[in-house]
Amino acid sequence: MNLYSLFDLFGAPNPDSLENRNLSALRLLTPPVGKLLKKYFRAEVRGIGNIPPGAALYVGNHNMAMLSLDTAIFCAEALRAHGTDALPFGLAHDMAVSVPVVRDLILAVGGVRASHENAHAIFAAGKKAMVYPGGGLEAMRSFANRNRIVFGGRTGYMRLALRENVPIVPVVAAGAHSASIILTDGSSFARTFRLDKLLRADVWPLMLCLPWGLWFGPTPFYIPYPTKILISVMEPMTFPRTGPEAEEDEAYVRECADRVENAMQLRLTELARERSGRRRGK
């Protein structure tokens, strides 16, 4: 049990239901919001044709602390190219689906509590899910590590894909983490004050952002710097062995996870190099 469980006492919507998503609102609002964000960040989305039909697991690198506006840009392009079949349910942190106001927005756009049971229900319905294995550790990584994939050794996403026999579609974004400057992730502070137990927070960042200036801790809102964002949807990745036995093979899971993370890191490095070259006028 953690502090977020207290919100359940006040009649909160069921964060384990797939029925909270408002597809009518998403069809209406996603295109203009995506267009606005794409213009603001001068964003480019590549490889959108790589999205397969049916069940799949999008695996992304987490950016922008708690904003993740690169996700909205990706979803707008996916909707435009493939319709609602390409829109994912998001396997979300307890905080995102518990705190009032934030919770209502997250659930309406397709967020569900992150659990294997909910993921199974999504895939059984032939739908797509999206995960950010790095979680807060990656979303609040330091500015110095902005061009690094930081999953922290987590392999839950890989076990999920193997058990459910669904392809992984890596979605890599470069530039989004430059929307603010995170000086340090504050992981030592989080451990010292047991925030990992109380709030499931492995980090407690010190960041520079507008309009707050110097801010300590996660901020649900800030004005992002209009950094150039490049997003690459990579080709689906499948694996020779799947099912419960494959999921329980620790060495195999690690091998498959390394394959995914190495491919994502290579693509992120390429995109970051391209952004850097553009800034120098090359």
Side-chain angles (χ1 to χ4, degrees):
M1 181 177 178
N2 54 59
L3 292 181
Y4 303 122
S5 303
L6 297 177
F7 291 111
D8 293 339
L9 302 176
F10 300 96
N14 180 10
D16 299 311
S17 172
L18 304 187
E19 301 303 318
N20 295 311
R21 184 166 71 166
N22 189 330
L23 279 178
S24 296
L26 285 173
R27 290 190 192 100
L28 179 65
L29 297 176
T30 300
V33 170
K35 185 176 181 180
L36 177 65
L37 292 175
K38 192 173 180 181
K39 183 175 182 179
Y40 182 80
F41 291 109
R42 295 161 290 137
E44 298 177 23
V45 182
R46 302 165 182 174
I48 204 72
N50 288 328
I51 296 176
L57 181 64
Y58 296 126
V59 175
N61 59 316
H62 215 348
N63 302 294
M64 286 190 174
M66 297 178 70
L67 284 187
S68 293
L69 296 179
D70 49 330
T71 302
I73 295 170
F74 160 69
C75 286
E77 289 297 298
L79 176 64
R80 178 192 60 77
H82 300 282
T84 55
D85 177 67
L87 288 178
F89 285 90
L91 298 176
H93 188 284
D94 281 357
M95 182 183 70
V97 295
S98 301
V99 178
V101 181
V102 174
R103 168 196 66 209
D104 298 331
L105 175 61
I106 295 296
L107 295 181
V109 299
V112 295
R113 193 200 313 269
S115 71
H116 289 301
E117 294 77 15
N118 290 339
H120 176 75
I122 292 168
F123 297 136
K127 305 298 183 182
K128 294 176 173 63
M130 187 159 203
V131 294
Y132 290 101
L137 183 67
E138 185 172 48
M140 299 178 203
R141 67 193 185 278
S142 69
F143 185 78
N145 290 325
R146 64 193 180 280
N147 295 325
R148 285 189 58 219
I149 299 293
V150 181
F151 285 0
R154 298 167 182 172
T155 57
Y157 74 97
M158 194 68 251
R159 296 178 188 280
L160 175 61
L162 293 175
R163 185 177 68 248
E164 299 290 338
N165 190 23
V166 295
I168 283 179
V169 181
V171 180
V172 179
H177 208 60
S178 298
S180 66
I181 298 178
I182 298 179
L183 302 175
T184 176
D185 66 10
S187 54
S188 297
F189 179 88
R191 286 194 302 271
T192 300
F193 290 93
R194 300 180 61 80
L195 299 182
D196 55 336
K197 304 297 183 184
L198 293 172
L199 301 174
R200 289 188 59 199
D202 296 325
V203 293
W204 204 256
L206 180 66
M207 59 191 294
L208 289 170
C209 58
L210 297 173
W212 315 119
L214 192 63
W215 182 277
F216 188 46
T219 171
F221 171 77
Y222 63 90
I223 300 173
Y225 180 76
T227 176
K228 172 75 175 176
I229 296 178
L230 300 178
I231 299 174
S232 175
V233 183
M234 300 173 64
E235 293 185 359
M237 301 179 71
T238 56
F239 307 90
R241 291 168 49 210
T242 59
E245 290 187 4
E247 178 202 0
E248 294 171 4
D249 186 334
E250 296 283 348
Y252 180 67
V253 169
R254 184 69 264 170
E255 176 187 335
C256 293
D258 286 344
R259 177 185 159 199
V260 173
E261 293 168 40
N262 289 340
M264 292 179 68
Q265 182 61 68
L266 179 60
R267 183 60 52 86
L268 178 56
T269 300
E270 292 170 348
L271 294 175
R273 186 178 297 121
E274 180 181 341
R275 289 182 70 253
S276 178
R278 287 187 182 186
R279 287 198 303 270
R280 290 195 298 264
K282 293 183 179 178

